[in-house]
Amino acid sequence: MFTQAAFLLLAASAVAAASIRERHEPIALRSSSSAIARQIHKCHKPPPPTVYFPLNFRYGSDQKITTDLVIPGSNKTMPVCFDQGSDTYWVLEPGAVFNWGSEQLGVLGACNISATPVYEYLSSLDATDPVPFDYFNGYSGLSKIVLGNTTLEDTMTFTSVAGQKSALPGVRTALANFITVRQPDFSGTCDASEITYDVGIMGIAPFQNTSDYTTQGPNVRQQLLEDGTIKAPVMSMWMDKRPYGVKDTYTGGAIFGGIDLTKFTGPLVKVRSFENSGGSVGYYVAPPVFSFKGKKIKATDSDSCFIDSGTRNDALPVAYEDQDAFYKATGLVESPMGATSWLGTCDTVPSDVTIDMRFPGSKNGTFVDIKIPLKNYVRWDSGEEGLCRLNIYLGSGCTLAAPFSTAAFFAADDERGEVALAQGGISERGSGPSDTAVALRIP
């Protein structure tokens, strides 16, 4: 077990940063996924080598975009968060401890349990022996801290509920043996029956090695680039069509090393994005103009929006004094528990009503429209009678999280500092990546 002094020393090493940029007025771009795919096909070049990750977005209070990792020696899986907001990969090792019970940052709680499920690497024939590595990662302003002492490499198989599967040899991961979260023990008995926590996170944010910041742990995409498995630090990510039931699991996928041109409709537009600086991690884009049924939603002057599939709620930048106007314009309500909600049961939330976002393009005068169906925000019913809780948070900041991912195709080229968006949510469930219509770079 780590001492309190060691814990505080590690926690003090984390940093945060923000970016400030200018804005401009846009006009439309004219290119489509089908047109780009036809151009790629005419070139008669083989598609670039890519690596595929099947994805899920389950129903539940703390669910995010995940890929299911098969546990060696079993037919069971553990959900690994597929996280645009962090840049290292870790899984829980046997004997790992989960700690909670404290309301203060940097203070260990009184409650400990043996974490489960864990990655049983001793049951794998391909796993290397663990090697020493001091691993530390802090999330959400250090409200969650993950610690470990080793890394290893193993052949890892990733799956989704749609039956997709991808086996990757030699994947390097940190082995975490201790997690602590700032979460009070309201019962006073360390009752863990309703406790939830991550058992693995694959950070897919850009690898960094600068004077400001260096990635502090295994980065899967960088490893694949260095060993020649992929040819460029590029990725694309999508989710399939919305499942039938509101409690059903969304499915989708991501590829490292290329851009799948079959998973979106309309133009794929390079949007204004900002380089990481001062220790920031992740993908930041210029804030969009938000609207609902053609009416503009008044938003704060956010400098950027954080794209983060590892967060459960889309945080829309609506200041407290403007929230009544937001609810009036959208017909949504604030529940007695303070949650943005639909007035009615979750089954009655419409699928043809959308929250619309117009993002400025990287070239002056360009933009792209992304429409998020209101029904895609139904991911957990908090049990308030006559209301359906939506995964929408109103505040001063802007985070485009897992619900945004259900309808937005995302592409990134870390080498060129490019981020592109298009309307997603169009592919058939479990369709997997294209065999032919894949580009090495963002068109």
Side-chain angles (χ1 to χ4, degrees):
M1 180 65 64
F2 291 89
T3 66
Q4 180 73 28
F7 173 76
L8 290 172
L9 180 62
L10 285 167
S13 66
V15 294
S19 300
I20 300 175
R21 300 293 189 276
E22 59 185 32
R23 295 179 296 177
H24 63 264
E25 295 300 319
I27 59 175
L29 256 188
R30 306 293 184 194
S31 62
S32 69
S33 59
S34 57
I36 296 171
R38 285 196 298 270
Q39 292 172 6
I40 295 291
H41 182 71
K42 287 179 181 178
C43 291
H44 300 292
K45 292 183 179 179
T50 59
V51 170
Y52 170 53
F53 295 89
L55 300 179
N56 302 304
F57 182 24
R58 292 180 169 86
Y59 181 88
S61 63
D62 196 35
Q63 293 298 318
K64 297 153 284 192
I65 306 297
T66 61
T67 182
D68 287 353
L69 173 61
V70 175
I71 300 172
S74 75
N75 59 357
K76 298 179 180 179
T77 61
M78 54 193 294
V80 172
C81 178
F82 200 75
D83 184 20
Q84 292 166 311
S86 65
D87 60 352
T88 59
Y89 179 33
W90 63 267
V91 293
L92 289 180
E93 68 175 346
V97 171
F98 176 74
N99 170 269
W100 83 101
S102 172
E103 298 185 49
Q104 298 177 308
L105 289 175
V107 177
L108 295 177
C111 304
N112 296 287
I113 59 172
S114 295
T116 185
V118 297
Y119 190 70
E120 300 283 357
Y121 63 88
L122 291 174
S123 298
S124 173
L125 297 177
D126 296 333
T128 62
D129 292 332
V131 297
F133 183 87
D134 290 329
Y135 181 77
F136 167 88
N137 209 335
Y139 301 84
S140 303
L142 298 182
S143 62
K144 175 172 64 182
I145 291 176
V146 179
L147 302 173
N149 301 118
T150 58
T151 64
L152 62 69
E153 295 184 6
D154 195 7
T155 297
M156 297 188 178
T157 300
F158 301 92
T159 68
S160 74
V161 300
Q164 294 293 308
K165 181 179 293 187
S166 180
L168 308 179
V171 178
R172 186 180 306 121
T173 182
L175 295 175
N177 55 26
F178 187 77
I179 305 178
T180 181
V181 298
R182 185 179 65 169
Q183 183 168 333
D185 174 32
F186 294 111
S187 69
T189 62
C190 291
D191 179 11
S193 59
E194 296 185 3
I195 293 292
T196 60
Y197 51 90
D198 290 300
V199 297
I201 295 178
M202 182 181 291
I204 60 171
F207 173 84
Q208 298 185 61
N209 186 12
T210 68
S211 58
D212 287 338
Y213 172 80
T214 298
T215 296
Q216 300 292 316
N219 181 288
V220 175
R221 187 146 46 108
Q222 181 66 17
Q223 180 192 357
L224 294 170
L225 181 66
E226 290 177 357
D227 67 20
T229 302
I230 61 175
K231 301 305 181 184
V234 170
M235 68 162 292
S236 55
M237 175 177 165
W238 66 90
M239 299 303 284
D240 300 326
K241 293 177 181 178
R242 183 178 56 251
Y244 177 76
V246 294
K247 295 184 179 181
D248 292 344
T249 298
Y250 285 73
T251 60
I255 55 174
F256 290 172
I259 311 300
D260 191 321
L261 303 175
T262 67
K263 305 302 183 184
F264 59 90
T265 185
L268 176 64
V269 179
K270 296 174 185 176
V271 298
R272 294 199 66 201
S273 60
F274 310 128
E275 291 184 0
N276 285 296
S277 61
S280 66
V281 174
Y283 294 102
Y284 295 83
V285 300
V289 174
F290 296 90
S291 61
F292 186 84
K293 292 184 176 180
K295 295 182 179 179
K296 183 178 177 181
I297 295 172
K298 186 176 181 180
T300 62
D301 288 329
S302 298
D303 299 315
S304 62
C305 285
F306 187 39
I307 298 182
D308 186 10
S309 54
T311 295
R312 63 181 181 177
N313 295 322
D314 278 8
L316 306 185
V318 179
Y320 176 78
E321 60 270 20
D322 297 321
Q323 291 177 12
D324 285 344
F326 171 86
Y327 289 127
K328 182 177 180 180
T330 61
L332 304 177
V333 298
E334 183 179 19
S335 77
M337 293 175 61
T340 299
S341 302
W342 170 259
L343 189 59
T345 65
C346 289
D347 288 332
T348 65
V349 177
S351 58
D352 59 349
V353 174
T354 59
I355 291 181
D356 302 333
M357 307 178 191
R358 174 164 288 186
F359 292 86
S362 59
K363 294 182 179 180
N364 287 332
T366 62
F367 66 82
V368 63
D369 290 325
I370 306 296
K371 298 177 179 293
I372 315 297
L374 209 57
K375 201 153 196 166
N376 291 29
Y377 287 100
V378 181
R379 289 286 81 198
W380 176 55
D381 186 355
S382 56
E384 295 184 87
E385 186 175 356
L387 297 172
C388 177
R389 179 195 177 279
L390 303 180
N391 280 34
I392 296 174
Y393 174 80
L394 304 182
S396 58
C398 179
T399 299
L400 303 174
F404 176 78
S405 298
T406 63
F409 177 88
F410 173 88
D413 185 329
D414 297 343
E415 184 176 34
R416 298 179 177 178
E418 297 173 343
V419 172
L421 298 173
Q423 185 68 46
I426 65 159
S427 49
E428 295 300 325
R429 183 178 180 87
S431 56
S434 171
D435 293 328
T436 56
V438 176
L440 178 62
R441 302 286 185 173
I442 300 172

